[in-house]
Amino acid sequence: MTVKAYDSIKPIIWQDDTLQLLDQRLLPAEHTYISLNNVTEVAQAITDMVVRGAPAIGITAAYGIVIAARARFADNADNWQQAIEDDLQILAQSRPTAVNLFWAIDLMREVIKGLAVADPAATLLSIAKQIHEDDIAANVKMGNLGAQLIEGKCAVLTHCNAGALATGGYGTALGVIRSAFEQDKISLVYADETRPWLQGARLTAWEMVQEDIPVSLLVEGAAAHMIKTSQATDTPIRWIIVGSDRIASNGDVANKIGTYALAVLARHHGIKFMVAAPTTTIDMNISCGDDIPIEERSIDEVLSCSGQHVAAIGAQARNPAFDVTPAELVDAIVTEKGVVLNPDFEKIKVMMANVD
Ligand code: MRU
């Protein structure tokens, strides 16, 4: 089997019985792994953006629960199943928007309840590894499905980073882009730089460059101009392709702040808007996007740039990390279980009925 560049992008590694996270805050300048020793460190790494992206956060939490189980069982083999609930709560408080985090915690909690074995950590580790592998397999599937929607050769625009780094591997939105590029359907990828964490400039551009996929960075404010003016060129932007942190049962989509503006632009200019996400990102417990908790991060992230305070002293700021795109602006939701065009509750319910 050929080893592709994306195979070497591993945000999460379980090695020598330790969880290691690629420190995404340092990319692309430094490629450094951090070892996590306890559940508090795992939760802090999620909060601090060492690891980020909805599926990657869920996978990390699953491995974090293995570490927690090992410690709780060693401490008190009779009471560990009750005691570990505190650790699950610590993980649940690390970031609020990505539902994959809560999906992974709930799944592991159910397994823990039914466990009666001498070595619970080994069983939980096999489940965490399965979650990790299933995520990569789901991404490859949705990559192929999403690529089929793209007709002819065109440029696409993506936001934030929904690549190998944000998942177990391969990526959601970037998985679609990888598949479509292999099929010679993509001439150029425009990547929004994505203030304040610059996931587009640092991470998406890095992933694309490693695979020789042509990538052109935009400041967010340039998207409207580029969409409009590219139409008359030989590289028209025909699709906006993004990932998601949580999709409500009616098809409303939470994703990195700025995504909603892109969906409005897409509709105005008659281009298509695709969301690629595994079914673990779909929250059937909420009826619409208004119920999705939107993370507000420190205003220092907005007032500063690369650790340097740049805003006028005394200025206030807001820093919502996500926004919600209404389902009516979404042309396609692509999951590993299929494509939902013009999503609504009924269509999503039918697709989710196929999830094991
Ligand atoms: O704040 P981040 O970097 O965790 O935000 C990530 C995103 O918004 C991604 O688009 C989303 O999680 C999908 S990742 C496949």
Side-chain angles (χ1 to χ4, degrees):
M1 212 173 91
T2 7
V3 176
K4 303 275 190 178
Y6 56 74
D7 288 327
S8 65
I9 304 176
K10 295 187 187 300
I12 307 158
I13 299 178
W14 184 272
Q15 195 175 288
D16 303 329
D17 244 6
T18 322
L19 173 62
Q20 299 188 21
L21 297 177
L22 178 59
D23 191 341
Q24 299 194 29
R25 298 168 304 181
L26 306 179
L27 288 171
E30 279 181 45
H31 201 99
T32 304
Y33 281 88
I34 297 180
S35 293
L36 289 309
N37 300 306
N38 57 56
V39 76
T40 311
E41 285 182 7
V42 175
Q44 199 60 51
I46 295 172
T47 305
D48 292 348
M49 308 281 284
V50 172
V51 62
R52 30 67 51 202
I57 292 171
I59 295 163
T60 301
Y63 284 120
I65 293 168
V66 176
I67 297 172
R70 202 162 52 190
R72 293 289 182 184
F73 188 75
D75 188 44
N76 184 346
D78 295 326
N79 183 46
W80 75 275
Q81 276 149 311
Q82 289 76 43
I84 202 170
E85 186 55 36
D86 288 350
D87 302 323
L88 304 191
Q89 292 306 327
I90 290 171
L91 286 167
Q93 279 155 26
S94 57
R95 287 191 83 185
T97 305
V99 77
N100 308 60
L101 171 68
F102 306 99
W103 173 87
I105 293 172
D106 288 348
L107 190 151
M108 296 298 266
R109 181 186 283 114
E110 281 310 304
V111 175
I112 288 168
K113 271 189 205 156
L115 264 189
V117 290
D119 182 2
T123 308
L124 292 170
L125 178 59
S126 68
I127 311 265
K129 285 185 171 168
Q130 193 63 54
I131 291 174
H132 196 163
E133 282 166 23
D134 287 352
D135 184 67
I136 300 171
N139 292 339
V140 173
K141 269 194 195 160
M142 72 181 88
N144 286 324
L145 290 173
Q148 284 170 25
L149 297 175
I150 300 173
E151 288 168 359
K153 195 165 180 173
C154 63
V156 299
L157 191 151
T158 190
H159 189 61
C160 193
N161 170 266
L165 287 165
T167 62
Y170 198 68
T172 57
L174 291 194
V176 171
I177 289 171
R178 285 188 162 99
S179 282
F181 184 75
E182 273 184 13
Q183 295 168 23
D184 200 26
K185 289 178 166 181
I186 291 191
S187 49
L188 179 62
V189 178
Y190 285 102
D192 276 350
E193 64 170 358
T194 321
R195 269 278 290 158
W197 277 88
L198 300 178
Q199 291 95 329
R202 297 186 302 104
L203 310 179
T204 294
W206 183 69
E207 288 197 30
M208 296 291 92
V209 164
Q210 285 187 76
E211 277 167 75
D212 293 328
I213 299 179
V215 62
S216 188
L217 275 173
L218 299 176
V219 296
E220 263 85 306
H225 174 75
M226 292 309 301
I227 290 169
K228 187 172 81 171
T229 57
S230 75
Q231 300 310 316
T233 70
D234 55 1
T235 51
I237 300 172
R238 295 217 183 99
W239 281 91
I240 292 174
I241 308 177
V242 296
S244 172
D245 283 78
R246 193 185 295 228
I247 299 173
S249 61
N250 71 340
D252 289 351
V253 172
N255 192 48
K256 179 54 56 195
I257 191 77
T259 303
Y260 175 29
L262 292 174
V264 173
L265 277 178
R267 192 54 58 92
H268 181 75
H269 287 282
I271 67 168
K272 300 281 187 190
F273 186 83
M274 183 194 308
V275 179
T279 51
T280 52
T281 299
I282 298 182
D283 187 350
M284 292 306 282
N285 294 318
I286 56 172
S287 59
C288 71
D290 293 347
D291 296 336
I292 299 176
I294 298 295
E295 177 182 17
E296 283 255 357
R297 294 184 62 87
S298 163
I299 61 168
D300 292 341
E301 293 177 356
V302 174
L303 298 172
S304 301
C305 216
S306 307
Q308 197 75 16
H309 193 104
V310 288
I313 302 296
Q316 290 298 305
R318 289 288 303 273
N319 190 13
F322 300 96
D323 58 26
V324 175
T325 299
E328 70 205 51
L329 295 179
V330 177
D331 292 293
I333 292 178
V334 178
T335 77
E336 79 282 10
K337 293 291 178 190
V339 174
V340 178
L341 298 176
N342 307 313
D344 62 20
F345 176 74
E346 286 307 322
K347 292 180 193 171
I348 290 184
K349 196 172 80 173
V350 169
M351 186 195 57
M352 290 303 280
N354 292 324
V355 176
D356 330 307

